[in-house]
Amino acid sequence: MADIMGLMKKAQEMQGRIADIQKELEAMEVEGAAGGGLVRVTLTGKGALKGVAIDDSLLKADEKEILEDLLVAAHADARTKADRAAEEKMKGATAGLPLPPGFKLPF
């Protein structure tokens, strides 16, 4: 019975840490870039788009498709960085809790 109580206590602690991490991720900003930095996007750690910066040299009608592609690439770059940061923070929150391999939190 002591094992189950210890596990419950660890789960409650983890729940508190996860809530803190969720707040941190919402406040955290990551920047992704494409085209050698000509296009940059800023996301929160949870993936919400906060801003877009486009170099003036790309604002030409005949380069519209390139700009669109660079925006998608910059967003993907920022999203990857945000996902990595979230994963690292979650690893710290679940340390010491025996979770099965591949088990992802939050549910």
Side-chain angles (χ1 to χ4, degrees), residues 46-82:
K46 294 185 102 181
L49 184 62
K50 298 286 283 184
V52 176
I54 302 167
D55 188 272
D56 291 341
S57 68
L58 293 175
L59 300 177
K60 298 174 186 167
D62 61 334
E63 296 188 7
K64 179 181 184 270
E65 190 174 331
I66 293 170
L67 178 57
E68 291 168 346
D69 290 344
L70 290 174
L71 280 167
V72 171
H75 183 273
D77 183 41
R79 185 63 200 195
T80 299
K81 290 174 182 176

Side-chain angles (χ1 to χ4, degrees), residues 6-96:
L7 186 59
M8 292 289 284
K9 184 176 182 197
K10 283 187 178 186
Q12 287 175 335
E13 290 171 2
M14 182 185 66
Q15 186 177 14
R17 289 192 304 257
I18 288 173
D20 292 342
I21 289 170
Q22 292 293 330
K23 288 177 189 171
E24 286 179 40
L25 291 174
E26 190 64 41
M28 178 180 71
E29 290 187 359
V30 294
E31 184 178 278
L38 294 175
V39 175
R40 294 182 319 276
V41 296
T42 304
L43 302 178
T44 68
K46 294 185 102 181
L49 184 62
K50 298 286 283 184
V52 176
I54 302 167
D55 188 272
D56 291 341
S57 68
L58 293 175
L59 300 177
K60 298 174 186 167
D62 61 334
E63 296 188 7
K64 179 181 184 270
E65 190 174 331
I66 293 170
L67 178 57
E68 291 168 346
D69 290 344
L70 290 174
L71 280 167
V72 171
H75 183 273
D77 183 41
R79 185 63 200 195
T80 299
K81 290 174 182 176
D83 289 346
R84 267 193 232 126
E87 186 177 317
E88 287 302 313
K89 288 185 178 290
M90 284 299 179
K91 280 183 186 177
T94 59

